[in-house]
């Protein structure tokens, strides 16, 4: 199965290719034809399965058939509701990527930030709106969002919505949607409350589901060092110099962090390059090629930049900073230990990241064993700055993920 087999329009095929995807994931292969055939979907799939593209690609295709370029203000024709700001941003980025060669406009709205820029974007008109429920309701109540032209409604991570107490907000939003619409409903788990909610939204839905690869992390040797933030750099240099690390993919949370780690390693005589969103596609490709051909030993990446990249025989993934989204940890470490090969995933955790570590351990359903480094133990165990927020409670202990493979 290829993306060409899915009858996608050329601008989408081009965008997908640019993302480096060669084969649709199982959920994409199942859902895309159904959505294009205007079916409602009840999807049992979690983050990491490629479900975003499974709904974003066919929605882009159907919407791009009729863009009214001359309309003063574009009506919002698609609404994607998702529980967290991080997911909303990621979904927005996916629409931007897959819809890059179409003229569709999208915007992401979420709470916790000033609403002005969101209101301005809405005033200009957007075809696709990605939103978290609370802020959406706020803006609807203030008259900034009209949902009467919605043709496609996606409820993403429905079980998490329920978990986080958003179900009433979600119901209020749904009550304002036109009855005649196509609805896509995704949830990682299907407890009775979720099935009931789905029944109120969907009409004669097609069911699609993917079984998670729960053994993803089984082949990977995981460990964590507890270390002070200020000593992470020295620990990284020591680990890279000491252990028999052939090549390592090092993850940071931010672009700035990636650049800094790269500079520090280079100064210590370790060949490293960074890939992140501020670098051009060419620069990223060059850094990736250098790493693949073993000219550089360390590739430093942010989660977004590392999307879709696959490196054969990668022995080590180092989480220089822990991700605030637990699923990202599973994605990150899934880059090593492929096809039964031995891989190691090393995490550096400072006092402030312990909440992230807890979320990760809950998600993967196990404790990550600690490795002690005598030179750089965790001395400062108090959280000085604002503690990082942990993600909401998750259902299910071992949510594996679909592993990407790109030749
Ligand atoms: P999602 O489950 O939508 O969060 O996607 C998980 C990850 O898989 C993201 O990093 C996507 O960029 C990536 N992805 C989605 N579809 C494909 C595909 N067909 N091939 C390779 N990677 C993909």
């Amino acid at each position: 199965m290829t993306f060409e087999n899915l009858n996608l329009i050329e601008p989408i095929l081009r965008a997908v290719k640019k993302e480096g995807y060669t084969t649709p994931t199982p959920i994409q292969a199942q859902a895309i034809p159904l959505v294009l055939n205007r079916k409602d979907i009840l999807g049992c799939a979690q983050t990491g399965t490629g479900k975003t593209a499974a709904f974003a690609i066919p929605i882009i295709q159907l919407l791009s058939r009729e863009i009214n370029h001359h309309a003063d203000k574009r009506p919002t024709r698609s609404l994607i509701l998702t529980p967290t700001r991080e997911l909303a941003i990621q979904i927005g980025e996916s629409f931007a990527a897959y819809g890059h060669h179409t003229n569709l406009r999208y915007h992401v709205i979420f709470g916790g930030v000033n609403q002005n820029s969101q209101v301005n974007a809405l005033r200009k008109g957007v075809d696709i709106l990605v939103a978290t429920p609370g802020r959406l309701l706020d803006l609807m109540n203030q008259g900034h969002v009209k949902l009467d032209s919605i043709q496609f409604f996606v409820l993403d991570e429905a079980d998490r919505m329920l978990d986080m107490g958003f179900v009433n907000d979600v119901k209020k939003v749904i009550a304002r949607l036109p009855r005649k619409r196509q609805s896509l409903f995704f949830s990682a788990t299907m407890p009775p409350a979720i099935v009931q909610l789905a029944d109120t939204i969907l009409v004669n839905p097609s069911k699609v589901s993917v079984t998670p690869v729960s053994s993803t992390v089984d082949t990977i040797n995981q460990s964590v060092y507890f270390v002070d933030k200020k000593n992470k750099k020295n620990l990284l240099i020591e680990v890279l110099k000491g252990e028999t690390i052939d090549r390592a993919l090092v993850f940071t949370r931010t672009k700035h962090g990636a650049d800094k780690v790269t500079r520090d390693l280079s100064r210590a005589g370790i060949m490293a390059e960074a890939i992140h969103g501020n670098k051009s596609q060419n620069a990223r490709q060059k850094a990736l090629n250098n790493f693949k051909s073993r000219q550089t030993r360390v590739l430093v990446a942010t989660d977004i930049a590392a999307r879709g990249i696959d490196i054969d025989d990668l022995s080590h993934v180092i989480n220089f900073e822990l991700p605030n989204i637990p699923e990202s940890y599973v994605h990150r470490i899934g880059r090593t230990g492929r096809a039964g090969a031995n891989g190691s995933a090393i995490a550096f955790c400072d006092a402030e990241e312990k909440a992230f570590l807890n979320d990760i351990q809950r998600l993967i359903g196990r404790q990550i064993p600690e490795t002690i480094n005598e030179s750089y133990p965790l001395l400062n165990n108090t959280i000085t700055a604002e503690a990082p927020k942990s993600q909401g409670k998750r259902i299910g202990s071992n949510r594996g993920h679909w592993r990407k493979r790109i030749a």
Side-chain angles (χ1 to χ4, degrees):
M1 165 72 80
T2 62
F3 281 102
E4 277 78 9
N5 299 139
L6 291 173
N7 289 327
L8 298 175
I9 53 175
E10 190 277 333
I12 294 180
L13 287 175
R14 212 171 350 136
V16 162
K17 205 165 177 185
K18 180 146 176 272
E19 287 300 294
Y21 306 170
T22 48
T23 335
T25 69
I27 191 87
Q28 291 163 6
Q30 290 178 60
I32 292 174
L34 290 167
V35 181
L36 290 177
N37 277 329
R38 313 307 303 259
K39 296 289 294 178
D40 278 9
I41 299 280
L42 177 62
C44 188
Q46 61 201 36
T47 299
T49 53
K51 72 172 155 67
T52 314
F55 63 75
I57 286 176
I59 288 180
I60 291 169
Q61 174 141 336
L62 293 169
L63 286 180
S64 66
R65 280 186 191 161
E66 28 182 300
I67 303 177
N68 186 350
H69 298 279
H70 304 296
D72 280 351
K73 187 183 159 182
R74 298 214 189 156
T76 304
R77 293 181 290 155
S78 180
L79 172 68
I80 291 82
L81 264 192
T82 191
T84 68
R85 163 200 172 121
E86 285 79 12
L87 281 166
I89 293 171
Q90 275 181 40
I91 293 172
E93 284 167 351
S94 299
F95 272 100
Y98 312 138
H100 187 71
H101 304 294
T102 66
N103 284 315
L104 291 167
R105 285 194 212 143
Y106 79 97
H107 196 70
V108 180
I109 60 176
F110 45 78
V113 293
N114 186 298
Q115 69 172 45
N116 291 349
S117 64
Q118 300 177 354
V119 170
N120 284 341
L122 291 168
R123 235 176 240 143
K124 288 188 199 126
V126 294
D127 300 287
I128 300 154
L129 185 59
V130 182
T132 54
R135 175 59 58 97
L136 177 65
L137 269 179
D138 267 3
L139 294 181
M140 281 164 62
N141 292 338
Q142 295 172 47
H144 296 302
V145 180
K146 298 259 174 305
L147 298 181
D148 39 11
S149 301
I150 293 293
Q151 299 168 13
F152 303 95
F153 171 61
V154 180
L155 185 64
D156 184 42
E157 305 243 340
D159 53 355
R160 209 161 163 190
M161 292 274 196
L162 214 71
D163 243 15
M164 295 172 77
F166 293 158
V167 72
N168 283 334
D169 285 353
V170 169
K171 285 181 177 162
K172 281 184 200 154
V173 172
I174 291 167
R176 308 269 281 271
L177 294 173
R179 277 178 173 270
K180 194 173 166 313
R181 59 167 197 260
Q182 192 175 349
S183 304
L184 318 176
F185 184 105
F186 289 91
S187 187
T189 56
M190 291 285 168
I194 288 295
V195 176
Q196 245 172 31
L197 180 65
D199 279 347
T200 64
I201 297 175
L202 303 170
V203 180
N204 192 18
S206 298
K207 298 197 172 89
V208 296
S209 71
V210 286
T211 345
V213 186
S214 55
S215 61
T216 305
V217 288
D218 289 347
T219 53
I220 301 165
N221 185 4
Q222 300 176 66
S223 61
V224 58
Y225 288 91
F226 291 98
V227 54
D228 289 334
K229 194 181 207 143
K230 66 174 188 340
N231 281 332
K232 281 190 172 184
K233 163 185 135 186
N234 293 333
L235 179 62
L236 180 64
I237 293 168
E238 190 170 305
V239 166
L240 285 169
K241 284 192 169 158
E243 281 204 41
T244 47
I245 295 183
D246 171 35
R247 283 185 302 171
L249 180 59
V250 174
F251 281 96
T252 59
R253 269 200 304 273
T254 64
K255 300 170 197 168
H256 174 72
D259 283 335
K260 186 164 180 325
V261 169
T262 308
R263 274 197 309 272
D264 291 339
L265 290 179
S266 303
R267 277 194 205 121
I270 298 169
M271 293 283 284
E273 277 187 284
I275 50 167
H276 56 62
N278 282 1
K279 305 231 168 193
S280 67
Q281 186 61 29
N282 271 349
R284 285 198 237 177
Q285 199 54 49
K286 198 157 161 269
L288 189 59
N289 290 344
N290 287 343
F291 186 63
K292 284 184 171 172
S293 64
R294 296 172 191 271
Q295 288 178 52
T296 43
R297 195 170 147 226
V298 178
L299 189 65
V300 187
T302 55
D303 290 291
I304 307 273
R307 274 188 187 197
I309 65 167
D310 190 17
I311 301 143
D312 282 334
D313 305 326
L314 177 64
S315 63
H316 285 77
V317 167
I318 301 178
N319 287 290
F320 185 82
E321 287 162 336
L322 287 177
N324 54 345
I325 301 172
E327 281 83 1
S328 299
Y329 174 82
V330 182
H331 287 308
R332 287 178 178 188
I333 73 167
R335 307 303 160 104
T336 182
R338 289 188 185 262
N342 279 336
S344 296
I346 301 170
F348 291 181
C349 179
D350 65 30
E352 293 182 4
E353 292 170 313
K354 284 191 170 172
F356 297 162
L357 184 67
N358 287 341
D359 279 349
I360 291 166
Q361 296 187 140
R362 198 176 312 138
L363 174 73
I364 64 174
R366 66 175 72 186
Q367 286 284 116
I368 302 175
E370 179 182 356
T371 308
I372 294 173
N373 178 287
E374 305 278 336
S375 320
Y376 305 110
L378 181 68
L379 297 173
N380 177 10
N381 210 0
T382 49
I383 300 174
T384 44
E386 192 192 331
K389 280 204 187 79
S390 87
Q391 301 293 299
K393 181 164 85 55
R394 309 301 311 261
I395 298 174
S397 57
N398 197 351
R399 294 170 170 221
H401 80 309
W402 175 80
R403 292 163 70 189
K404 296 181 282 295
R405 176 114 210 120
I406 294 152

